[in-house]
Amino acid sequence: MIAMTWELEFNAPNMDDSEPATEIRVLVVDDHPSMRMGLVALINGQRGMTVVAEACDGEEAIEVYEDTRPDIVLMDLRMPGMGGVEAILALRKIDPAVNVIILSTYDWDEDIHLAIQSGAKSYLLKDTSVEEIADTVRRVHGGDAAIPGQVSQRLAERSQRQQLTERERDVVELLIKGRSNKEIACSLFISEETVKSHLKTLFAKLGVRDRTEAAIAAIRHGIVHLD
Amino acid sequence: MIAMTWELEFNAPNMDDSEPATEIRVLVVDDHPSMRMGLVALINGQRGMTVVAEACDGEEAIEVYEDTRPDIVLMDLRMPGMGGVEAILALRKIDPAVNVIILSTYDWDEDIHLAIQSGAKSYLLKDTSVEEIADTVRRVHGGDAAIPGQVSQRLAERSQRQQLTERERDVVELLIKGRSNKEIACSLFISEETVKSHLKTLFAKLGVRDRTEAAIAAIRHGIVHLD
DNA sequence: ACAGCCATCACCCATCCGGGGGATTTGGCG
DNA sequence: CGCCAAATCCCCCGGATGGGTGATGGCTGT
């Protein structure tokens, strides 16, 4: 209500003629109301950019994107319902040139990889300064892919590691549920020997010795989620 | 900058005489700049309350608290360096009547318990609406302990569970590092049989069958942290 | 003094797990 | 077509793990 009042008063007179004719139009997507409020304040507090819409999850983001066609989507990765990755892919179907900046709490390398691979132009952590977030918005709008050092380092770490196969991910998924080899075998309709075989390569790839270490490592890397 | 302009205009004429003479003075503590910005905007956007200071971690919160003596401390629980729990305890040493509201991303029951037990007057999740956060600030300032249903439910769940002893926590701490029984025994200077003994009671208390399940359960409850 | 909880350790034993081999089939890719 | 990675399965085996049962000493509260 207060923001609206201000916006009307500000837009009507247009007292600042150094303001560029076309501002960077930003869509803010985050399921935490206070965080969303912070991002809106952050963007609107910067000259040359303005929040044109907000959404609290992936579905809403897509709806709103079609209506407003913003220049930049500033989005959380972990959201209830449709997550960030699915949202990026859906947005790219609508507009292949969409500029998504992910703003995440976590620096799990798998999360970063998936976001970037899905087409995010940047991946920032939530402890990023106001200036750097604003700067990234400008850089991405200018066509760059602005990835901070800490984040790209994680990405490099991931590329060092041997990637898990689909089946190995199936196994690790059940592993973190505390399932025994026999139970995993049963769930995947394969023999227990095959499970052990997958586990062997899995341990090697993650650089661990047993299932407990593997479970922890998988969580730490963001390969599986605890939700 | 925009918020300041508005505040000046609003405060100067004082057109609303239903406004209380003394506003609720709030200290906002969060390590994420954009979240801090959101909370500041949220509080300052409410009538009857105002942000008098900000801090980005526990240490700074204590310094700033002594200078400003706010009515309410709105604080994140997980922060680098001194965490929320230590910060609450330290603040209570300075001022036993301090009103701390924890605003956390996680609803781990152990986190909630520790925060409340340390003396937090409320525990809100970050997906709480702006209205409810503001309302909680007012309620806590009025002397209530406003705990949302979802959170108190978690607290109830925890009280159902048998509490871990100190030694059991030691064991689980090493367990989530992927240590074997022998290694745990070695680290704690006890026999392997004793470790197995602790694990037995640990499994029973957590309602699990093996070490991997125990590790996951401990993480899910917030008994141990992955940091 | 006695009960109750905790930490410590011991023994037995069935089962599970992980490391070491190796084999087969399937599908893709050059 | 040959090569290779992936998925499937098999065997062996020593050591780790977890369940059961019990004992001892220390500390606490009544």
Side-chain angles (χ1 to χ4, degrees), chain B:
Chain B
M1 196 213 270
I2 288 147
M4 273 169 67
T5 309
W6 165 80
E7 218 183 303
L8 285 171
E9 283 190 50
F10 183 84
N11 285 341
N14 195 12
M15 68 282 277
D16 185 356
D17 54 345
S18 74
E19 186 199 335
T22 57
E23 292 205 315
I24 305 174
R25 303 171 65 252
V26 182
L27 164 59
V28 170
V29 189
D30 199 307
D31 56 317
H32 296 160
S34 42
M35 174 60 82
R36 212 162 58 232
M37 204 163 180
L39 294 173
V40 171
L42 189 164
I43 299 296
N44 283 338
Q46 296 282 321
R47 64 180 46 210
M49 59 185 76
T50 180
V51 174
V52 292
E54 300 177 38
C56 64
D57 59 33
E59 285 89 351
E60 204 184 327
I62 291 157
E63 277 179 47
V64 171
Y65 187 87
E66 293 193 294
D67 294 343
T68 57
R69 293 282 163 164
D71 301 308
I72 297 284
V73 180
L74 190 56
M75 184 163 66
D76 192 5
L77 193 62
R78 302 284 187 91
M79 292 178 294
M82 182 189 277
V85 173
E86 298 101 305
I88 297 171
L89 295 172
L91 287 173
R92 269 162 53 98
K93 264 192 192 161
I94 299 169
D95 175 6
V98 63
N99 285 319
V100 177
I101 299 172
I102 291 295
L103 194 63
S104 172
T105 310
Y106 310 99
D107 64 344
W108 306 146
D109 54 19
E110 199 69 19
D111 274 14
I112 299 171
H113 169 80
L114 284 173
I116 300 294
Q117 194 178 48
S118 303
K121 297 291 196 299
S122 181
Y123 189 107
L124 302 176
L125 296 177
K126 287 201 174 162
D127 60 7
T128 306
S129 72
V130 168
E131 293 75 27
E132 200 173 339
I133 294 175
D135 213 56
T136 304
V137 169
R138 273 184 277 265
R139 299 251 291 276
V140 169
H141 184 245
D144 294 347
I147 317 248
Q150 193 196 344
V151 172
S152 61
Q153 198 178 322
R154 287 295 160 122
L155 218 45
E157 279 169 33
R158 181 186 181 277
S159 68
Q160 295 300 104
R161 214 173 57 230
Q162 263 198 85
Q163 297 317 303
L164 302 191
T165 66
E166 202 182 322
R167 217 46 173 161
E168 283 157 5
R169 274 194 298 275
D170 291 342
V171 171
V172 84
E173 199 85 36
L174 293 164
L175 192 61
I176 65 147
K177 298 198 159 137
R179 303 276 201 278
S180 71
N181 289 349
K182 205 180 296 247
E183 287 166 334
I184 295 171
C186 191
S187 296
L188 298 179
F189 304 106
I190 55 181
S191 95
E192 199 180 331
E193 286 304 317
T194 308
V195 174
K196 290 170 83 174
S197 178
H198 287 313
L199 282 176
K200 269 177 258 196
T201 62
L202 185 65
F203 293 167
K205 287 182 180 180
L206 294 177
V208 300
R209 293 170 303 166
D210 59 44
R211 55 184 49 232
T212 307
E213 268 190 291
I216 305 293
I219 294 168
R220 291 182 93 89
H221 290 303
I223 294 168
V224 286
H225 300 323
L226 235 38
D227 321 317

Side-chain angles (χ1 to χ4, degrees), chain A residues 165-168 189-191 193-194 196-198 200:
Chain A
T165 67
E166 202 184 320
R167 217 46 172 160
E168 283 156 5
F189 305 106
I190 54 180
S191 95
E193 286 305 317
T194 308
K196 291 169 84 172
S197 178
H198 287 312
K200 267 179 257 193

Side-chain angles (χ1 to χ4, degrees), chain A residues 13-135:
Chain A
N14 196 11
M15 68 280 277
D16 186 355
D17 54 344
S18 75
E19 185 200 335
T22 58
E23 290 204 315
I24 304 175
R25 303 172 66 250
V26 181
L27 164 61
V28 170
V29 189
D30 198 308
D31 57 317
H32 296 160
S34 42
M35 175 61 81
R36 212 162 56 232
M37 204 162 179
L39 294 174
V40 171
L42 189 163
I43 299 296
N44 282 338
Q46 296 281 322
R47 65 178 45 212
M49 58 185 76
T50 181
V51 174
V52 291
E54 300 178 38
C56 64
D57 59 33
E59 284 89 351
E60 203 183 327
I62 291 158
E63 277 178 46
V64 172
Y65 188 87
E66 293 194 293
D67 293 343
T68 56
R69 292 284 163 163
D71 300 309
I72 297 283
V73 180
L74 190 55
M75 183 164 65
D76 193 3
L77 193 62
R78 302 283 187 94
M79 292 178 295
M82 181 189 277
V85 173
E86 296 101 307
I88 297 170
L89 295 172
L91 286 172
R92 271 163 50 100
K93 264 193 193 161
I94 299 170
D95 175 6
V98 63
N99 284 318
V100 177
I101 299 173
I102 291 295
L103 194 64
S104 171
T105 310
Y106 311 99
D107 64 344
W108 305 147
D109 54 18
E110 198 69 18
D111 274 13
I112 300 171
H113 169 78
L114 284 174
I116 300 294
Q117 195 178 48
S118 304
K121 295 293 196 300
S122 181
Y123 189 107
L124 302 176
L125 296 176
K126 287 202 172 161
D127 60 7
T128 306
S129 72
V130 168
E131 292 75 27
E132 200 173 339
I133 294 175
D135 213 56

